[in-house]
Amino acid sequence: PAQLAHDAAQGWGHPRSAAQPRTGFVMPVAASLQAVDRRTMLYEERLEAAERRRKEGNVLFAAGKHTEALAKYAMALSYCDEDFMLQLQGPHLDKAEEVTNPVYLNMAAAQLKLGDHAAAAHNATQVLVRDPKHIKALFRRGKARAGMGRTVEALEDLGAAAAL
């Protein structure tokens, strides 16, 4: 496994680097911190990793750590990037969207909490592109648009959500 070494004078570094710490301690780097080449991951592995990161984000969101939650949600989406999604079709695409849609909605919720209305509207729209009648996405985009002062569009979204 990858390792980090620490020395009070030199700080952190790789234990076998030219600037190897002479004293201190060596510790293994957690597998979750090691670089992962997502292109080599299987379809199922990518979806599982994305779902795991979403759940980690949900815990942070519930604790009021909205910025940290956003980072986890962004990491979740990195497993299902555009190149990956474009290769999918049929039930495989449906399953991937079952994972990514909640991530986009969770990001929108966190961004609303942080007052980033434009980003929240964008992420809610990502879901609406795939499912134009998604009630939660319409509601979150409506709230975001209201926060941006786009009242007419906000009322359209909120009215559409209420009608469903």
Side-chain angles (χ1 to χ4, degrees):
Q3 295 180 330
L4 283 177
H6 185 266
D7 177 75
Q10 296 176 336
W12 290 97
H14 190 276
R16 288 177 287 198
S17 69
Q20 174 181 356
R22 291 175 290 250
T23 61
F25 61 94
V26 176
M27 67 176 208
V29 176
S32 64
L33 298 177
Q34 295 180 21
V36 176
D37 185 359
R38 287 160 178 75
R39 294 171 297 174
T40 62
M41 294 176 75
L42 298 174
Y43 165 81
E44 293 84 1
E45 292 173 324
R46 281 182 158 211
L47 295 184
E48 287 171 8
E51 183 65 14
R52 205 169 35 254
R53 295 300 187 272
R54 181 187 69 82
K55 288 179 179 179
E56 291 169 2
N58 290 351
V59 170
L60 292 166
F61 183 90
K65 298 178 179 180
H66 303 114
T67 302
E68 293 88 344
L70 277 174
K72 290 293 184 181
Y73 297 144
M75 177 68 74
L77 288 178
S78 74
Y79 288 98
C80 299
D81 60 12
E82 187 175 356
D83 290 338
F84 174 71
M85 297 296 283
L86 286 173
Q87 296 176 38
L88 303 177
Q89 55 186 321
H92 290 96
L93 179 59
D94 295 341
K95 180 63 179 163
E97 287 178 351
E98 287 177 19
V99 172
T100 58
N101 282 353
V103 175
Y104 282 118
L105 291 171
N106 292 354
M107 288 184 83
Q111 289 157 337
L112 285 169
K113 292 281 188 184
L114 294 169
D116 189 353
H117 299 105
H122 171 78
N123 282 311
T125 300
Q126 296 302 308
V127 175
L128 292 167
V129 165
R130 299 172 181 154
D131 182 0
K133 295 183 178 185
H134 196 288
I135 296 172
K136 192 180 286 188
L138 285 165
F139 177 75
R140 293 212 173 129
R141 188 173 72 177
K143 283 183 65 172
R145 286 177 166 177
M148 292 187 293
R150 295 167 55 181
T151 309
V152 172
E153 293 168 309
L155 289 173
E156 290 173 2
D157 284 341
L158 296 171
L164 294 174

